[in-house]
């Protein structure tokens, strides 16, 4: 049974603190790209510079499936603690590489090559961090508080980005623009490397989850063969992630650039808008996570998908024409409130689909694939539309991705009441009072109730299944 009280919160704190540093290092690349883009590429076309740095940013995402497979396997076979310690070590190394990478003026494209290697290491690290962290936070929680506890994953992820933006604001106000473009952009990567070293020390003393320790060991723990037996759940993770990850990266990592390059706001104002909006966004996560413990995961996911499908185009259109701080902040907050329906609970939903022996790998690999295809490319796709002169096309792209995920949310089963110790065994915990029995039985780890869109259901394998 999951721990409660002081030890329970200690597990959540240590897992979240490491996640915060991981995502600080991951996101400062995006938030400081406007300053270091000219350091690694020729300066004849600013948009081309951003596209090059965005391309390297996307390459990091394509390394995430490798990290998801490797570190997910380690998390399932050696423990969540071992994997989480390794991910933060890799992140510290990658941050140091970026901090000391030579510029184009010094080494030509050699500096860009160092940048590329660093992003590959970051992708490897984050590919395992998400799943290990999601699994750890979900398993360390009491069954009736899994949504609340796992919401701290995005609290910590957002906190990492808030710290990065906060540091950017400080540097913008203490250094000249020339100094920021020349050497000031290196500071956050040094800070990230030092923070990772501190978290490495904390994670060495962290406790393993009881769910993992009580699970039966076996040779197939964390193997692709074991994951293949849960391939329907794996395809479901890809499909339900698609809309959420595109929307999340649109309104977080890309928002500052969009407000600066398209709306015409100053870099300082655009950064402040993102910083303020993300603080509110982080505060919303536990509230929405707790709500999901009461009403279920599907209502929140469906609310997100409906809102994102129908509001993305008008929100992005208005954001592209804002002329000051307050209208931009209001629209950004509206968008992030909608996205909260996905971010607050997606970690526990995915973890609840798989049995303990393949849970980390089952979350890591399909989630990383979805992020590589959709999340990591969101910024690059947006800049491509802008460079092609049809910037509004990106808004329709985001809305379309959300619409696809909406089909999945509507047809998937509720996962709130599944017993993590018995997922995949055909047994379930007793229904909580007020729950409908159809939502508390295990059907292949929480798969779809119906398949109204048959062609899509065939792709994700979401046919109605009986107890296994």
């Amino acid at each position: 049974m999951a721990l409660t009280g002081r030890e329970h919160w200690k597990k959540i704190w240590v897992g979240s603190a490491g996640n915060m540093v991981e995502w600080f290092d991951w996101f400062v690349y995006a938030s400081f790209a406007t300053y270091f883009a000219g350091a690694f590429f020729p300066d004849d076309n600013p948009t081309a510079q951003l596209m090059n740095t965005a391309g390297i940013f996307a390459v990091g995402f394509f390394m995430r499936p490798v990290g998801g497979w490797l570190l997910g396997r380690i998390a399932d076979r050696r423990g969540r603690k071992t994997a989480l310690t390794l991910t933060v070590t890799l992140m510290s190394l990658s941050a140091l590489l970026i901090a000391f990478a030579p510029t184009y003026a010094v080494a030509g494209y050699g500096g860009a090559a160092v940048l590329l290697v660093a992003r590959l290491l970051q992708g490897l690290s984050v590919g395992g961090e998400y799943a290990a962290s999601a699994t750890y936070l979900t398993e360390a929680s009491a069954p009736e508080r899994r949504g609340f506890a796992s919401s701290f994953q995005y609290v910590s992820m957002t906190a990492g980005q808030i710290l990065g933006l906060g540091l950017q604001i400080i540097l913008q106000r203490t250094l000249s623009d020339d100094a920021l473009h020349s050497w000031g952009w290196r500071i956050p990567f040094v800070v990230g490397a030092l923070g990772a070293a501190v978290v490495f020390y904390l994670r060495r003393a962290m406790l393993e989850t009881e769910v993992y320790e009580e699970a039966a060991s076996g040779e197939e723990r964390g193997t692709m063969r074991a994951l293949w037996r849960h391939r329907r759940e794996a395809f479901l993770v890809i499909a339900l992630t698609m809309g959420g990850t595109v929307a999340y990266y649109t309104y977080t990592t890309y928002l500052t650039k969009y407000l600066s390059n398209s709306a015409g706001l100053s870099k300082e104002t655009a950064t402040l808008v993102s910083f303020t909006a993300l603080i509110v966004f982080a505060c919303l996560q536990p509230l929405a996570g707790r709500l999901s413990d009461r009403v279920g995961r599907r209502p929140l996911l469906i609310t997100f998908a409906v809102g994102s499908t129908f509001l993305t185009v008008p929100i992005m259109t208005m954001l592209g024409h804002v002329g000051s701080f307050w209208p931009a902040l209001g629209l950004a907050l509206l968008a992030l409130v909608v996205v909260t329906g996905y971010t607050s609970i997606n970690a526990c939903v995915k973890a609840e689909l798989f049995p303990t022996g393949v849970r980390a790998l089952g979350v890591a690999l399909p989630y990383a694939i979805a992020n590589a295809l959709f999340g990591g490319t969101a910024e690059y796709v947006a800049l491509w539309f802008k460079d092609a002169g049809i910037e509004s096309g990106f808004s329709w792209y985001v809305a379309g991705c959300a619409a696809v995920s909406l089909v999945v949310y509507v047809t998937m089963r509720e996962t709130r009441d599944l017993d993590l110790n018995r997922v995949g065994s055909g047994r379930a915990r007793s229904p909580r009072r007020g729950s409908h029995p159809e939502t508390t039985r295990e059907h292949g780890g929480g798969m779809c109730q119906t398949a109204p869109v048959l062609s899509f259901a065939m792709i994700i394998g979401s046919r109605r299944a009986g107890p296994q």
Side-chain angles (χ1 to χ4, degrees), residues 308-323:
S308 190
T309 299
F310 294 103
L311 294 179
T312 294
V313 174
I315 288 176
M316 291 293 286
T317 300
M318 288 186 285
L319 277 172
H321 294 87
V322 294

Side-chain angles (χ1 to χ4, degrees), residues 71-72 74-75 79-88 128-129 132 203:
L71 295 168
I74 291 174
R80 317 315 189 199
K81 172 184 172 180
T82 300
L84 287 170
T85 304
L86 182 56
T87 59
V88 78
E129 170 67 23
R203 283 186 167 178

